[in-house]
C-alpha cells in the first residue's frame, strides 16, 4: 500500500481549510485538499485518486443511514413538532430559569434527532422573546442554546453519532448512551457560564422579536412520538437482541410520528424537506471520505502516536485529541467525527482501547472546535439571534470550554476509569 508523507497529509488539511474559509463548498474543499495532499505527499496522481475513492467508499454506509434519517428530521421540523417540544420544555422549566430552559430545550431537540444548528434556529425565536422581557444579552442566550445543542449532539441519532458507530462497528444506541453523562455535564457548565454573560454584549431589540404562529403546532404528546419510536426501535438491539438498523428505525419513527400528528398526507413533503437538509451533509461526508483516505494512509497517524508516546501520555488520548483536531480542521462535528473515526479507529483499537470507548471519546472530542468561523454552524447560530460577526467571535472561547468539558468528562469515564465498556 502506498503511503502519503506527513507533509502531504498536513498540506491536505491546510488546503481544505483555506478553501473552506474562502467559501468554497466544504465537499469540494476537502476533495481538492485530498488531491493536493496526495501529490505533495509523494504519491502518483493515479494512486492519489485511488486512496480518495477508497476513503469515500468507507463512508458510504454512514451516508445511506444519514439520508434515511432525513425523514425523521423532516417530520420534526416541518410539522412544527420541534417547536412544540421546545416551547413545552421552556414553559415547564419556567422563564425565571430562562437560560436553563433554553439549554434544556435545545439539548432535547438535538438529542431526539434535530441538527444542532437547526435546533438553535428553532429555539431562537423563543429565546429572543424571553431575552427581551428578562433583559438578557444575546451572548447569554446563544451560549445557553449552543451548550444545550452540543450536549444533545453527543447523545443523539444525528449524522456524527452514525459516523462514529459505523467506523467502530458498535450499536448507535451505545454511542448515544455514552454521550449522556458528558453531555449533561457540558449543558450544566454552559448554563453557569451563560449566567455570567447576562449583561455582556448587545441586548435584544424590539424589532428582533418575532411572534411564533401556534395555530398549526401539534400537541407535545403527539410531537414527541416520532423520536420516541425511533429511539425505542434502536434500543431493541441492546435490550432484546433485535437489531433494527438506523436505516429502518429513523424513517419509520418519522412516519409513525406523522400518522399520530394527523399529518400522514404531508409525509412526502416532510421527506423531501428532510432529504434537502441531509443531502448537503451526505455530499460533505463523501468529500470528507476522500480527505480521510489520504490522512489514513499517511505518516500523520504514526506521527501523532509518536508524539503521545514521547510525551508519556496514555494512548487512549488519541481518540479525543483526533476528534478535536479534525473538528478544528472541518469546523463540523459530523465531518470531524467522520474523519477522525475512519482514520484512527483501527489504530485506537490496536492500542487496546475498547470500540465503544474510542467512538465515545472521538465523538466528544469533535465538539471542542466544531464552531470555528469557516463552518456553517458559526454563521447560522449567530444569524439566528441577529448577532454581528465581531460579537459572535467573542463567544468562541466559551463554546470551546463547553466542548472541552464534554470531552474531559467522556475521557474520564471511558479512558481513565474505563467504565461501561
Amino acid at each position: 500500500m502506498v503511503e502519503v508523507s506527513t507533509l502531504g497529509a498536513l498540506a491536505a488539511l491546510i488546503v481544505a481549510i483555506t478553501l473552506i474559509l474562502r467559501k468554497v463548498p466544504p465537499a469540494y474543499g476537502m476533495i481538492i485538499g485530498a488531491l493536493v495532499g496526495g501529490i505533495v505527499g509523494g504519491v502518483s496522481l493515479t494512486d492519489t485518486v485511488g486512496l480518495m475513492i477508497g476513503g469515500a467508499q468507507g463512508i458510504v454506509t454512514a451516508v445511506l443511514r444519514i439520508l434515511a434519517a432525513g425523514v425523521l428530521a423532516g417530520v420534526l421540523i416541518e410539522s412544527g413538532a420541534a417547536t412544540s417540544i421546545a416551547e413545552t420544555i421552556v414553559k415547564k422549566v419556567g422563564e425565571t430559569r430562562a437560560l436553563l430552559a433554553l439549554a434544556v430545550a435545545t439539548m432535547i431537540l438535538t438529542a431526539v434527532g434535530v441538527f444542532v444548528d437547526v435546533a438553535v434556529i428553532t429555539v431562537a425565536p423563543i429565546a429572543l422573546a424571553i431575552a427581551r422581557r428578562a433583559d438578557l444579552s444575546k451572548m447569554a442566550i446563544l451560549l445557553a442554546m449552543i451548550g444545550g445543542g452540543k450536549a444533545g449532539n453527543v447523545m443523539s441519532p444525528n449524522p456524527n453519532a452514525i459516523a462514529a458507530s459505523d467506523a467502530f462497528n458498535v450499536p448507535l444506541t451505545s454511542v448515544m448512551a455514552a454521550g449522556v453523562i458528558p453531555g449533561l455535564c457540558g449543558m450544566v457548565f454552559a448554563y453557569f457560564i451563560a449566567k455570567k454573560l447576562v449583561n455582556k454584549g448587545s441586548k435584544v431589540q424590539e424589532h428582533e422579536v418575532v411572534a411564533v404562529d401556534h395555530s398549526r403546532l401539534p400537541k407535545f404528546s403527539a410531537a414527541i412520538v416520532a423520536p420516541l419510536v425511533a429511539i425505542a426501535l434502536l434500543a431493541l438491539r441492546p435490550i432484546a437482541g433485535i437489531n433494527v438498523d438506523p436505516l429502518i428505525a429513523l424513517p419509520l419513527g418519522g412516519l409513525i410520528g406523522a400518522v399520530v400528528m394527523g399529518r400522514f398526507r404531508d409525509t412526502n413533503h416532510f421527506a423531501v424537506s428532510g432529504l434537502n437538509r441531509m443531502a448537503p451533509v451526505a455530499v460533505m461526508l463523501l468529500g470528507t471520505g476522500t480527505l480521510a483516505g489520504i490522512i489514513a494512509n499517511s505518516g500523520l497517524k504514526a506521527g501523532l502516536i509518536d508524539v503521545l508516546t514521547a510525551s508519556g501520555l496514555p494512548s487512549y488520548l488519541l481518540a479525543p485529541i483526533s476528534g478535536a483536531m479534525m473538528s478544528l480542521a472541518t469546523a463540523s462535528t459530523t465531518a470531524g467525527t467522520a474523519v477522525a473515526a475512519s482514520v484512527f479507529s483501527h489504530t485506537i483499537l490496536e492500542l487496546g482501547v475498547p470500540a465503544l470507548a474510542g467512538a465515545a471519546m472521538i465523538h466528544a472530542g469533535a465538539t471542542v472546535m466544531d464552531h470555528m468561523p469557516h463552518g456553517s454552524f458559526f454563521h447560522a447560530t449567530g444569524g439566528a439571534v441577529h448577532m454581528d460577526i465581531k460579537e459572535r467571535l467573542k463567544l468562541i472561547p466559551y463554546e470551546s470550554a463547553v466542548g472541552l468539558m464534554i470531552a474531559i468528562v467522556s475521557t474520564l469515564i471511558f479512558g481513565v476509569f474505563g467504565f461501561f465498556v
Side-chain angles (χ1 to χ4, degrees):
M1 174 67 77
V2 293
E3 183 171 295
V4 181
S5 70
T6 303
L7 176 64
L10 292 173
L13 289 170
I14 291 166
V15 170
I17 293 168
T18 303
L19 291 174
I20 294 168
L21 280 169
R22 291 182 175 275
K23 307 300 181 190
V24 173
Y28 285 150
M30 286 187 273
I31 289 171
I32 295 168
L35 188 63
V36 171
I39 294 167
V40 171
V43 178
S44 70
L45 186 60
T46 304
D47 287 337
T48 296
V49 172
L51 293 176
M52 290 167 64
I53 290 172
Q57 286 172 339
I59 213 86
V60 167
T61 52
V63 168
L64 285 173
R65 292 182 175 117
I66 287 161
L67 290 175
V71 178
L72 175 62
V75 168
L76 285 171
I77 296 159
E78 295 297 324
S79 68
T83 304
S84 175
I85 293 167
E87 291 212 334
T88 303
I89 294 163
V90 170
K91 285 177 184 173
K92 293 292 184 185
V93 177
E95 285 193 21
T96 52
R97 294 181 292 276
L99 293 173
L100 181 62
L102 296 174
V104 171
T106 318
M107 180 183 73
I108 290 177
L109 277 191
T110 315
V112 299
V114 178
F115 278 10
V116 62
D117 51 351
V118 176
V120 172
I121 291 166
T122 302
V123 178
I126 307 166
L128 289 168
I130 291 173
R132 177 68 182 170
R133 289 194 296 269
D135 194 35
L136 305 175
S137 71
K138 289 180 181 179
M139 287 183 73
I141 60 169
L142 184 54
L143 183 64
M145 290 188 290
I146 288 172
K150 281 180 181 286
N153 212 13
V154 293
M155 57 176 95
S156 74
N158 273 341
N160 28 282
I162 292 172
S165 70
D166 274 7
F168 282 90
N169 196 27
V170 291
L172 178 57
T173 41
S174 298
V175 177
M176 292 163 60
V180 172
I181 295 173
L184 288 172
C185 291
M187 189 269 291
V188 171
F189 187 57
Y191 166 62
F192 282 112
I193 298 176
K195 283 179 70 176
K196 303 289 185 184
L197 300 177
V198 290
N199 294 311
K200 189 178 177 68
S202 62
K203 297 293 177 75
V204 177
Q205 303 303 308
E206 188 65 43
H207 69 275
E208 293 173 332
V209 178
V210 181
V212 179
D213 179 15
H214 295 81
S215 59
R216 293 199 69 190
L217 287 185
K219 291 182 178 178
F220 176 80
S221 56
I224 200 70
V225 166
L228 286 183
V229 169
I231 292 168
L233 289 171
L234 291 171
L236 287 175
R237 178 172 172 177
I239 292 171
I242 302 169
N243 185 12
V244 182
D245 196 275
L247 192 69
I248 305 298
L250 299 178
L252 186 57
L255 290 173
I256 293 172
V259 170
V260 172
M261 289 185 284
R263 302 287 300 276
F264 186 72
R265 288 184 178 181
D266 297 320
T267 48
N268 192 54
H269 166 67
F270 296 154
V272 169
S273 172
L275 183 61
N276 288 337
R277 291 181 185 277
M278 291 296 184
V281 180
V283 172
M284 178 192 70
L285 277 180
L286 289 173
T288 297
T290 65
L291 186 63
I294 296 298
I295 298 171
N297 293 284
S298 74
L300 185 62
K301 278 198 308 183
L304 269 176
I305 294 165
D306 289 343
V307 169
L308 275 175
T309 305
S311 66
L313 293 171
S315 56
Y316 57 74
L317 285 181
L318 179 62
I321 289 171
S322 63
M325 281 178 58
M326 296 306 152
S327 72
L328 173 62
T330 59
S332 163
T333 322
T334 302
T337 303
V339 174
S342 61
V343 170
F344 293 100
S345 57
H346 294 299
T347 306
I348 288 168
L349 293 172
E350 285 169 5
L351 291 170
V353 178
L356 176 57
M361 289 188 286
I362 280 181
H363 196 196
T367 66
V368 178
M369 295 289 183
D370 59 349
H371 44 265
M372 291 293 116
H374 55 286
S376 60
F377 179 78
F378 174 90
H379 301 282
T381 51
V385 294
H386 312 287
M387 183 182 283
D388 64 50
I389 288 186
K390 187 177 179 182
E391 187 174 7
R392 180 68 185 83
L393 286 167
K394 292 178 182 176
L395 208 59
I396 287 177
Y398 303 110
E399 297 170 270
S400 300
V402 174
L404 192 60
M405 170 62 80
I406 293 171
I408 288 171
V409 173
S410 181
T411 304
L412 286 173
I413 293 171
F414 296 102
V416 177
F417 300 117
F419 292 153
F420 313 124
V421 291

